[in-house]
Every structure is written in structure tokens, then in C-alpha cells.
Amino acid sequence: MSAAPTRAGFVAIVGAPNAGKSTLVNALVGSKVSIVSPKVQTTRMRVIGIAMTDLPDGSRAQVVLVDTPGIFRIAKRRLERAMVAAAWQGAEDADAVALVVDAERGLGEDTRAIAGKLKESRAPRFLILNKIDLVPRERLLALTAEANALLAFGHTFMVSALKQDGVADVLAAFAATLPAGPFLYPEDQAADLPMRLLAAEVTREQVFLQLHQELPYEAAVETDKWEERANGVRIEQTIHVQREGQRAIVLGKGGTRIKQIGARARHELAHMLERPVHLFLHVKVSERWADDPAHYRAIGLDYEP
Ligand code: GDP
Ligand code: MG
């Protein structure tokens, strides 16, 4: 017997702060994705949840929900501009984009700005009017017309993410737009993968902040182990560098630099996860890491010249 055919892809969830994006992602994934407003804003797309679902045609779909960090930053400095540009690029790289609107608040200035930017994206667009538990139906129809006048959406959904009302239809529609292909992440990792990636990002940011003058490129960080324990979470990570000399730089004299990187990253992670974190860092020379585009895709940033 052959396995069921699969689909997989990325759906970018965009919208003004407080529109209900996190609540919607939690409802779609069906379990709490405990990432609390991470401050790190460096990658184009950040995985915030992975939803698995079955389609009526018998295929199974892996919907990787991403957000595009930095979209709201008022970019003054060069690095910030690069991050914001990268974030918009992330929205374009996704297989579909969903704009979440707080139906009670309506189309504010930031939602309009996002809608304007989405015009440039060729990915299928979904409009999700959220918090319908708070507004009368007539208002929803008017809002749908208003939003579609601003930007034509392929589908409009009216949901209450909080009450999980209408969320299953959204997931089915996301899944149906994704291309046929193998799953992007192993199914058994799907639950804690967003946290693993986030934790890797936090450490990578510390490596960058503390060593950007000495390391000619951004080191890659991988979370190898993630174990929930009674007294907190134990995280093991590998910092991949290309050469022995770079390994020495990351370690520092007598290991002082790696200690400093670990201390800051641990502090940041404990704050985000709201529980004690035991962080163990290894530094490894992995020359071939640099040649593997799959590893680079996750850390790509376009710098303005
Ligand atoms: P985000 O900033 O877009 O990620 O928004 P959040 O998911 O953090 O939600 C912002 C606030 O709106 C929170 O207090 C949520 O509980 C609330 N919220 C989200 N969805 C709904 C909904 O469908 N109905 C109601 N009444 N409140 C919601
Ligand atoms: Mg949020």
C-alpha cells in the first residue's frame, strides 16, 4: 500500500499588533505554541507553528505558519532597514499570505500599510476577519467590502480565533493552496520545532552581537536537544563555524567568550519561556555547513549596499 500523497508549504500570517495572530496560530495548531513575543528579529520568516491536516481528497498537508519579524519596525539604521526589507521578502517567499484583521477595530493605519505592501506579493491572499464574537454581522460584510476594495483577496474568512469558531475552514483552505510535495519538517518534531528554531536564533544573535567584528560571516546555530524537566528546560545547541580559527574566536580566551554568549542567551531564553533554562553550547567546525543552501536559507538577510 502506498502512503497518502502529501502537500506542504509556508503560510505567512500578517496583521497589525493585537489583531489576534498568535491566538489564531494557536487555534490552527491545536496546541499552545508557547512563543511569547520574541524580540529577536533577524530572519525573513520565523516558524511560529506547524499544523497537520487531512484534505478531502485523501492527501495529508503540513501547513507551516510563519511570521515576518520586523515588519513594523521603523527602520532608521541600515541593519534595521535590511531586517524590514527581509521581512517583506519573507512574505513574498511564502506560498500564501493571510492578513488578520481585528474586526472590532476595523482597518487601521497599520493594516492599510500592510495591505498596500501585499500588493507586490504574488502569493495567494487570504483575508481573515477575526474577533467576530465582538461585532454584528452587518459590520463584517461592510468590512469585507472595504478590505477587498483596498486589495483583492482570493478568500475571506470570518473567525473567532479565541472561540475557535471558523478556524477549521481556514486550515482547510490553507492546506488546499499548498503545493504537492514532501513534508518540510519531520512530523515528530513539529510540536517543539518553533521553540528549537527560536532558541537557535537567540544564541545566533548573541554570537553576532558579541563577535560581528571578528567573525566574517554569521555562524549557524542548531538546537540539538530540547528536554522539558521539572526544574526547567535543558537545551543543547551547536554553533557551527567553518574553520578552526573561528572556533577559537567563539570560545575566547579560556572559554570566556562562549561563557558570555551562553549567559546572555540563557537569560534571554529564560525570560521568553518564563521558566529556568539550562543551556549547553558546543562549537563545531563544520566546513560543509556553509555549502548547504538548506542551512543558509534559514539565516539569510539581504543587506542594502
Ligand atoms: P497578535 O498581536 O496579533 O498576535 O494578537 P494576540 O493573538 O496576542 O491577541 C491580542 C488580543 O486579542 C488578546 O487579548 C486575545 O485574547 C484577543 N483575541 C484574539 N482573538 C480573539 C477573538 O477571536 N475574539 C476576542 N474577543 N478576542 C480575541
Ligand atoms: Mg502575537
Side-chain angles (χ1 to χ4, degrees), residues 14 19 32 97 107 147 170 224 257 260 272 276 296:
V14 302
K32 187 108 184 101
V97 179
L107 301 177
V170 171
D224 308 310
R257 180 52 66 193
Q260 200 50 241
M272 285 177 177
Y296 262 90

Side-chain angles (χ1 to χ4, degrees), residues 285-302:
V285 180
S286 326
E287 281 168 57
R288 285 186 49 236
W289 180 276
D291 302 328
D292 188 342
H295 291 142
Y296 262 90
R297 221 176 318 145
I299 63 171
L301 257 187
D302 289 336

Side-chain angles (χ1 to χ4, degrees), residues 13-26 37 100 102 104-105 129-134 159-165:
I13 306 291
V14 302
N18 282 312
K21 300 179 296 296
S22 302
T23 310
L24 177 67
V25 167
N26 289 340
S37 354
V100 182
D102 179 338
E104 192 186 37
R105 190 139 45 103
L129 301 183
N130 186 33
K131 309 195 188 183
I132 60 167
D133 52 299
L134 300 177
V159 308
S160 170
L162 194 65
K163 309 207 152 159
Q164 312 215 359
D165 182 12

Side-chain angles (χ1 to χ4, degrees), residues 132-152:
I132 60 167
D133 52 299
L134 300 177
V135 283
R137 194 163 170 79
E138 313 82 73
R139 173 86 192 99
L140 294 174
L141 297 178
L143 190 55
T144 303
E146 201 186 335
N148 274 284
L150 204 61
L151 179 69

Side-chain angles (χ1 to χ4, degrees), residues 125-128 153-157 173 177:
R125 297 191 285 253
F126 294 84
L127 173 65
I128 300 179
F153 288 90
H155 307 264
T156 299
F157 291 91
T177 59

Side-chain angles (χ1 to χ4, degrees), residues 32-62:
K32 187 108 184 101
V33 185
S34 45
I35 293 180
V36 272
S37 354
K39 284 175 279 152
V40 191
Q41 304 193 318
T42 43
T43 53
R44 281 182 177 177
M45 297 198 289
R46 177 172 56 199
V47 174
I48 49 177
I50 299 173
M52 307 291 308
T53 189
D54 298 328
L55 283 125
D57 67 4
S59 61
R60 301 197 64 214
Q62 183 175 65

